[in-house]
């Protein structure tokens, strides 16, 4: 490892491999298919200047009310209007990590990467919609307590991750 690197977070492995192939990084190269094969086995891609990691969809989910307290279940008979209010529920809601093995691997990979001290910048390059934004923020703020940098930007890519022109434009406008 030489020098500081930029961490790019994508929503899916394929998007990470496609984006990596457009960056012009000497180590990563431009063969998206080859990068996707490497990405499958490692869970991330690392080049001379960039590290790319992804979520594989939602890594965290909100616990259901019934998981918090059995009495919050949907089919509980209520004896009064007060029973329905569940006054403490809003203070008890939390998220839990997915139990899916692949997602568990990605959480572990992200934790390891986000503990590194050679990250100079983080770019959230998930899909440009509410779900993509939520997944990107979850990757950062639910995975580790302290991020390696405060330099976090958002890549708003309206084109294809396979298009060097679209990525160059998005990278220059962040």
């Amino acid at each position: 490892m030489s020098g500081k690197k930029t961490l790019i977070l994508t929503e899916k492995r394929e998007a990470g491999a496609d984006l990596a192939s457009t960056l012009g990084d000497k180590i990563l190269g431009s063969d998206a298919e080859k990068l996707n094969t490497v990405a499958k086995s490692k869970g991330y891609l690392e080049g001379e200047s960039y590290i790319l990691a992804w979520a594989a969809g939602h890594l965290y989910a909100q616990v259901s009310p019934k998981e918090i307290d059995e009495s919050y279940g949907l089919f509980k008979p209520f004896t009064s209007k007060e029973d329905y209010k569940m006054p403490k529920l809003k203070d008890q809601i939390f998220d839990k990590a997915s139990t899916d093995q692949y997602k568990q691997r990605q959480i572990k990979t992200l934790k390891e990467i986000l503990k590194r001290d050679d990250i100079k910048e983080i770019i959230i390059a998930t899909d440009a919609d509410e779900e993509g934004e939520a997944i990107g923020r979850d990757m950062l703020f639910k995975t580790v307590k302290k991020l390696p940098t405060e330099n976090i930007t958002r890549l708003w890519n309206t084109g294809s991750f396979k298009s060097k022109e679209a990525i160059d434009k998005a990278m220059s406008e962040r």
Side-chain angles (χ1 to χ4, degrees):
M1 281 187 302
S2 62
K4 297 277 188 173
K5 298 187 179 195
T6 297
L7 171 61
I8 301 176
L9 302 173
T10 64
E11 207 166 314
K12 302 166 204 80
R13 181 187 71 243
E14 296 83 359
D18 288 344
L19 199 155
S21 72
T22 68
L23 294 172
D25 187 287
K26 292 176 193 174
I27 294 172
L28 292 171
S30 61
D31 186 341
E33 274 187 53
K34 181 179 172 189
L35 287 169
N36 196 18
T37 301
V38 171
K40 278 182 187 178
S41 64
K42 287 180 70 176
Y44 70 100
L45 295 168
E46 184 165 0
E48 185 175 61
S49 303
Y50 299 97
I51 301 168
L52 290 97
W54 43 88
H58 291 278
L59 297 176
Y60 299 89
Q62 193 176 73
V63 296
S64 71
K66 189 175 181 178
E67 290 175 278
I68 295 169
D69 184 327
E70 193 68 33
S71 71
Y72 294 158
L74 289 178
F75 300 106
K76 174 191 177 231
F78 297 119
T79 56
S80 73
K81 287 181 183 178
E82 294 303 311
D83 286 346
Y84 184 73
K85 291 182 182 175
M86 300 179 222
K88 295 179 184 172
L89 179 61
K90 69 179 175 62
D91 298 325
Q92 296 173 328
I93 292 175
F94 62 94
D95 290 333
K96 64 180 178 181
S98 172
T99 56
D100 176 270
Q101 273 188 322
Y102 181 69
K103 291 180 182 195
Q104 284 288 318
R105 180 185 94 160
Q106 288 311 107
I107 291 170
K108 182 180 178 200
T109 299
L110 285 166
K111 282 182 181 181
E112 290 170 6
I113 292 169
L114 289 168
K115 287 180 184 174
R116 291 173 55 161
D117 59 3
D118 64 338
I119 307 292
K120 68 175 178 180
E121 174 186 23
I122 299 171
I123 300 173
I124 300 173
T126 53
D127 292 352
D129 57 20
E130 292 97 350
E131 183 180 32
E133 184 69 12
I135 289 171
R137 294 194 178 273
D138 283 356
M139 280 193 282
L140 292 177
F141 301 115
K142 291 182 181 171
T143 303
V144 293
K145 290 184 188 255
K146 184 174 183 330
L147 295 173
T149 180
E150 293 180 9
N151 189 11
I152 301 170
T153 57
R154 183 68 164 95
L155 181 88
W156 293 107
N157 180 28
T158 56
S160 168
F161 282 117
K162 294 178 182 183
S163 166
K164 181 161 178 40
E165 294 78 28
I167 295 301
D168 286 347
K169 180 177 187 261
M171 291 286 268
S172 70
E173 293 177 354
R174 63 184 163 77

